[in-house]
Amino acid sequence: ETYRSSFGAAGRLGSMDQVFYRFDIAGDSATNFPNDPSKRVNVTPSVTWRMPSAGLLDFRYSFDRNRAAGDSGIPLVPLTAGFVPDPTRTAIGDPLARAVQGDGSDFIPNVDRDSRYNTPQDFALGTDQNLRVSYSQTFGRGLAFRNTFGYRYFDDEYWLAEFLDVTPPSRVNRGFLYFMHHRRPWTNQAELSGQVKLGVTNDFLIGYDYQDYRNYTHRRAAANFNTTPLDLYDPVETHVNVDLDSFPVTRNDHFTNETNAIFLQDTVTVAPQLKVVLGGRFDRIRRKNHNNPVAN
């Protein structure tokens, strides 16, 4: 049950022969398996200006919203408090080797593959906005400059009963995990390319690359609770909806990756059928991170 639609249009802006636009919009909705519905919409407009001076300026923006219900799978393995397999308990399919060996101590239950144990409130929601500005300029036949700037505004919220544990013979225990990432990276890359002849032909490329990847995450400790259980074979929903925003933010996690890089490449034409490529890149990466507990 997947439905998709899209629309696109492009052309000149007004009577100008130097400015062009393109606009795209698309969406899809799907039920998915096993009953893990998703919805997505994307809008992408862009404008390009061809300058009289052999330059090109391009603006592009993209908005993408993607929401899924989430699927934590079918729980067949009893776990410890740390959510790792517990070999000391009478297991439902744990460990698999013992069941396969047929020593009689364990069995793999016949559970319908489309069984679902997530709550109706489970969701993963991503809202992604990207802006890109590109400029290029040609100087004569042998030299060109390009610069591309990009900025991303991405929020990723996740609340899923992904911790599933089985208490034999058939009780499925469910625990939530919550986080909300706020990603704010920006990048800039500048390149100069051209051709020079120093006895042989050299096609060179030299550039500088800068990346600033900023991220902070909201944590809500009270949202990571164990909700009501289900039966493994007859998963009738028992979860009572709660207001997620009623759980206060208890910690903010921050990290930043900053990268400065230079790169150089030279393609040397030694003979019409022989080329030698020389290249190198040097990156300096700095990472900073800290966590801020939130009280009151």
Side-chain angles (χ1 to χ4, degrees):
E1 296 181 7
T2 300
Y3 301 90
R4 292 193 178 105
S5 62
S6 62
F7 170 81
R12 294 182 175 88
L13 279 178
S15 60
M16 296 178 290
D17 291 334
Q18 292 81 31
V19 183
F20 303 86
Y21 77 92
R22 181 172 180 89
F23 177 81
D24 291 282
I25 183 171
D28 66 64
S29 174
T31 301
N32 298 320
F33 175 87
N35 191 26
D36 177 15
S38 63
K39 291 184 178 181
R40 182 178 180 182
V41 63
N42 177 275
V43 181
T44 304
S46 62
V47 176
T48 302
W49 177 25
R50 294 179 180 174
M51 301 177 181
S53 58
L56 188 70
L57 187 61
D58 183 79
F59 297 88
R60 180 166 300 184
Y61 169 78
S62 179
F63 172 84
D64 190 89
R65 186 182 187 274
N66 192 2
R67 183 184 178 97
D71 174 32
S72 300
I74 298 177
L76 300 179
V77 180
L79 305 176
T80 65
F83 289 102
V84 295
D86 185 353
T88 64
R89 294 167 57 184
T90 300
I92 298 184
D94 173 39
L96 181 61
R98 286 162 54 193
V100 172
Q101 291 168 1
D103 62 3
S105 60
D106 295 285
F107 70 99
I108 300 176
N110 184 17
V111 179
D112 195 340
R113 287 185 300 174
D114 61 3
S115 296
R116 181 171 173 81
Y117 303 93
N118 292 86
T119 77
Q121 274 199 287
D122 286 23
F123 73 93
L125 174 62
T127 304
D128 197 0
Q129 302 180 72
N130 284 271
L131 174 67
R132 192 192 72 181
V133 181
S134 299
Y135 170 73
S136 62
Q137 180 71 52
T138 301
F139 305 95
R141 297 178 59 185
L143 193 64
F145 172 77
R146 293 179 296 275
N147 190 88
T148 301
F149 169 82
Y151 177 70
R152 187 183 189 194
Y153 191 99
F154 180 39
D155 290 330
D156 178 21
E157 189 171 20
Y158 181 97
W159 194 40
L160 242 67
E162 70 167 33
F163 299 118
L164 303 181
D165 172 29
V166 177
T167 299
S170 63
R171 191 183 75 183
V172 177
N173 309 301
R174 303 179 293 174
F176 279 107
L177 172 66
Y178 175 83
F179 60 78
M180 186 173 185
H181 298 314
H182 307 271
R183 308 188 191 279
R184 306 290 186 264
W186 67 276
T187 63
N188 194 86
Q189 182 169 293
E191 297 178 344
L192 184 67
S193 62
Q195 184 181 94
V196 294
K197 293 187 177 181
L198 302 172
V200 293
T201 301
N202 294 264
D203 293 288
F204 69 88
L205 171 69
I206 184 170
Y208 170 70
D209 185 16
Y210 177 79
Q211 301 180 31
D212 187 321
Y213 194 104
R214 298 178 183 270
N215 180 89
Y216 67 97
T217 297
H218 285 154
R219 307 284 183 182
R220 301 176 189 263
N224 303 321
F225 66 92
N226 291 329
T227 186
T228 54
L230 291 177
D231 186 79
L232 181 66
Y233 303 100
D234 185 23
V236 177
E237 186 55 62
T238 57
H239 171 77
V240 178
N241 287 358
V242 296
D243 181 9
L244 177 59
D245 292 330
S246 67
F247 303 122
V249 175
T250 54
R251 197 179 79 190
N252 292 324
D253 304 345
H254 296 262
F255 80 78
T256 301
N257 285 345
E258 185 181 44
T259 302
N260 285 273
I262 56 174
F263 52 93
L264 174 66
Q265 179 175 298
D266 186 20
T267 302
V268 182
T269 304
V270 181
Q273 295 181 334
L274 178 61
K275 296 180 184 289
V276 178
V277 179
L278 306 172
R281 178 180 171 112
F282 175 79
D283 288 80
R284 183 181 184 272
I285 302 173
R286 178 182 178 89
R287 177 181 175 90
K288 296 181 290 185
N289 65 282
H290 62 278
N291 298 333
N292 291 345
V294 179
N296 297 326

